[in-house]
Amino acid sequence: MVQCHSELAALMLQGCEDYWAWSRKEKSHEVKLVGKRRETAHFHPKWSNGTAGVRGTRCLNYGTHYWEIRVSQRLFGTSMMFGVGTKDACLHMDSFVNMIGENDQSWGISHKGIAWHNGKGRNFTKPFRENESTTLGVLFDWQKGTLSYFKDGESLGVAFTGLNLVNQELYPIVCSTAAKTEMTLCRRRRMYHSLQDRCRAAIVAKLKEERHVDALPIPNRMRCFLKETMA
């Protein structure tokens, strides 16, 4: 757990802000995205009769990424989950299940403290207190192949290893079986890939919105390069 804290501290000091969001297209029909930058996922707006998920827009491969998810006070139900998955990971099921980790295409933990992958669960941490808001941090390190978690600033440790051996793109993913629950993206950071990436991050930090990039007198290829890191 000390190692997880040191890795996160290094990322906070040496990395940059990231601006990805929840995907408009890659989500369950039971997920409504809220906010100008699609940072809040609202699950089962009326009632729940299954499990709904949504994927993040950030590809995690070959980098180190950290993101925080603020979970609303309505924390309850069969399973609310947080993790990563491939493009083949399921985003909707008409039953109440632990959907992230239900097969070999995703890895995640539930609010009940169980770590799931390939249909198998194991005790990972204490169950979250229900009906009490919390902030969950997720640290993905491609080089080490690890997926670690933090809860309200405290390290829960490494939940999964070997993710650098996955030969498909991985993305953040969350899901919920509970009606009228919300998960909001808060802090998002990543390590730089190169000097070029560092320069891009400095520019994007000043612009943040795609319309500002479009207004720059630069070649289209450079515009596309800048937009790659934006939601």
Side-chain angles (χ1 to χ4, degrees):
M1 292 187 183
V2 174
Q3 182 179 359
C4 293
H5 268 301
S6 62
E7 290 178 10
L8 180 56
L11 179 57
M12 292 300 174
L13 181 63
Q14 302 171 20
C16 65
E17 295 293 328
D18 209 356
Y19 302 99
W20 59 271
W22 300 124
S23 174
R24 291 189 184 96
K25 298 180 180 179
E26 297 177 318
K27 68 180 184 66
S28 163
H29 62 278
E30 283 292 309
V31 174
K32 178 181 179 181
L33 301 182
V34 182
K36 186 177 180 180
R37 298 185 62 84
R38 309 187 313 279
E39 294 174 336
T40 297
H42 186 80
F43 298 87
H44 310 287
K46 294 182 180 179
W47 58 82
S48 175
N49 57 6
T51 310
V54 59
R55 195 159 21 247
T57 58
R58 170 63 64 237
C59 177
L60 303 170
N61 298 49
Y62 310 110
T64 303
H65 301 263
Y66 175 77
W67 61 98
E68 290 180 347
I69 302 168
R70 186 174 67 249
V71 187
S72 66
Q73 192 169 351
R74 290 178 60 83
L75 180 61
F76 68 102
T78 301
S79 185
M80 297 177 71
M81 301 193 73
F82 324 86
V84 301
T86 71
K87 289 270 187 168
D88 294 326
C90 186
L91 295 177
H92 183 86
M93 297 186 74
D94 292 324
S95 55
F96 302 112
V97 297
N98 295 290
M99 191 166 66
I100 302 177
E102 57 94 20
N103 59 24
D104 63 354
Q105 297 300 304
S106 56
W107 298 253
I109 66 169
S110 75
H111 76 289
K112 294 185 177 180
I114 309 298
W116 287 90
H117 175 60
N118 205 18
K120 298 178 181 179
R122 57 179 171 80
N123 291 328
F124 172 64
T125 188
K126 294 179 181 178
F128 298 1
R129 290 179 62 89
E130 295 198 348
N131 297 310
E132 183 176 293
S133 61
T134 189
T135 298
L136 190 79
V138 187
L139 177 63
F140 177 90
D141 188 324
W142 171 265
Q143 185 175 5
K144 294 181 179 179
T146 56
L147 185 65
S148 309
Y149 290 88
F150 299 78
K151 183 179 182 297
D152 296 323
E154 295 297 323
S155 175
L156 300 180
V158 176
F160 301 99
T161 60
L163 292 174
N164 52 348
L165 302 178
V166 179
N167 59 9
Q168 298 184 63
E169 292 182 340
L170 293 170
Y171 296 82
I173 185 172
V174 291
C175 71
S176 176
T177 61
K180 301 178 182 179
T181 51
E182 287 189 348
M183 298 185 194
T184 300
L185 286 170
C186 301
R187 181 183 299 176
R188 283 148 285 171
R189 291 188 69 84
R190 64 180 179 86
M191 282 294 195
Y192 300 109
H193 302 310
S194 62
L195 178 58
Q196 186 182 44
D197 184 35
R198 185 183 291 269
C199 293
R200 173 173 59 181
I203 296 171
V204 170
K206 298 293 184 181
L207 301 174
K208 295 187 179 180
E209 295 187 21
E210 289 191 9
R211 62 187 179 88
H212 296 151
V213 176
D214 291 331
L216 294 176
I218 57 177
N220 287 333
R221 186 174 180 180
M222 190 173 292
R223 286 196 185 94
C224 292
F225 178 67
L226 292 176
K227 289 180 180 181
E228 285 177 0
T229 63
M230 306 176 80

